[in-house]
Amino acid sequence: AMKRLVEKYELCGVTIRCFDLLDTIKTTGCIALAILNAEGIYGGCEGDVPALLSMAVLGAVTGKPMFLCNPNRFDTVAGTGLFAHCTIPTTMLQDFCLNTHFESGIGVAVQGTFAEGDCTIFKCEGDLSRFHAQEGRIVPTEFSDMLCRTQVKVKLDDFSYFLTRPINNHHILCLGRHAADVEAFFRLL
């Protein structure tokens, strides 16, 4: 159904108020968004328009698929941050299986693991007045039943942004080092 809407309206991105689907059609949009994102259509969760805009910006800059995720846990001693969500393009993953949506226990969500490597975490304000682009390194993590299904641990040099003034909750992660490219893009505005 999502793909038909994308084709009908010639969309390059969509965001769904996912939790509204739980009561109306008794499922989630996790797998639909994962498929769209894998096909290059930006698919955002929870009706988050600024996150969708962030996906479009990062996608235009990098040409890579993206993981819309929630920052969950920061270990400033180990220097790691844990990010998680229930939908991701499977093209970003080392391996994956299907599970249920974390919060509701229904629907189909992607539970995946990442290969170790460099990544960039990004978010911009809806009016593009402020942005955050930070590079990190994906490191091994153990799966937790107490978080959204795809979880990634990232080694970070600095946590001050996340602990003081983050731009809302959802952030966008892509593979590779792209902070300089993002900064160059914002210098053009």
Side-chain angles (χ1 to χ4, degrees):
M2 289 297 303
K3 198 166 188 174
R4 285 194 306 269
L5 288 172
V6 164
E7 290 168 358
K8 178 179 179 178
Y9 295 103
E10 300 177 14
L11 303 174
C12 62
V14 296
T15 184
I16 305 170
R17 289 177 29 173
C18 310
F19 289 96
D20 289 356
L21 299 177
L22 298 175
D23 291 332
T24 56
I25 61 173
K26 309 292 186 232
T27 194
T28 65
C30 302
I31 196 70
L33 293 172
I35 291 167
L36 289 174
N37 278 312
E39 294 177 353
I41 304 296
Y42 307 118
C45 302
E46 300 169 35
D48 189 341
V49 174
L52 183 63
L53 175 63
S54 296
M55 293 177 87
V57 168
L58 192 58
V61 170
T62 68
K64 297 198 176 262
M66 289 151 284
F67 178 37
L68 182 150
C69 52
N70 296 314
N72 281 281
R73 299 177 185 151
F74 292 100
D75 183 338
T76 56
V77 175
T80 58
L82 186 64
F83 298 83
H85 225 270
C86 284
T87 185
I88 183 171
T90 56
T91 54
M92 291 182 73
L93 299 169
Q94 185 174 21
D95 57 58
F96 71 94
C97 65
L98 300 178
N99 200 334
T100 58
H101 175 248
F102 167 62
E103 288 93 342
S104 67
I106 63 173
V108 179
V110 178
Q111 178 180 324
T113 57
F114 286 82
E116 291 185 54
D118 294 330
C119 68
T120 301
I121 300 168
F122 171 73
K123 183 67 180 277
C124 64
E125 292 279 5
D127 63 2
L128 303 179
S129 63
R130 182 169 76 109
F131 74 95
H132 176 77
Q134 182 175 2
E135 294 171 348
R137 180 135 184 97
I138 296 171
V139 296
T141 187
E142 290 187 26
F143 178 76
S144 168
D145 293 2
M146 302 309 294
L147 292 170
C148 290
R149 304 311 186 188
T150 293
Q151 303 159 18
V152 60
K153 189 181 287 187
V154 179
K155 182 89 168 150
L156 298 167
D157 291 333
D158 181 18
F159 296 94
S160 58
Y161 160 82
F162 291 103
L163 301 177
T164 58
R165 232 180 109 213
I167 302 170
N168 299 325
N169 189 37
H170 290 136
H171 282 70
I172 314 304
L173 182 145
C174 75
L175 302 178
R177 300 179 73 79
H178 303 287
D181 297 330
V182 170
E183 290 167 9
F185 172 85
F186 276 89
R187 280 195 299 274
L188 295 174
L189 298 181

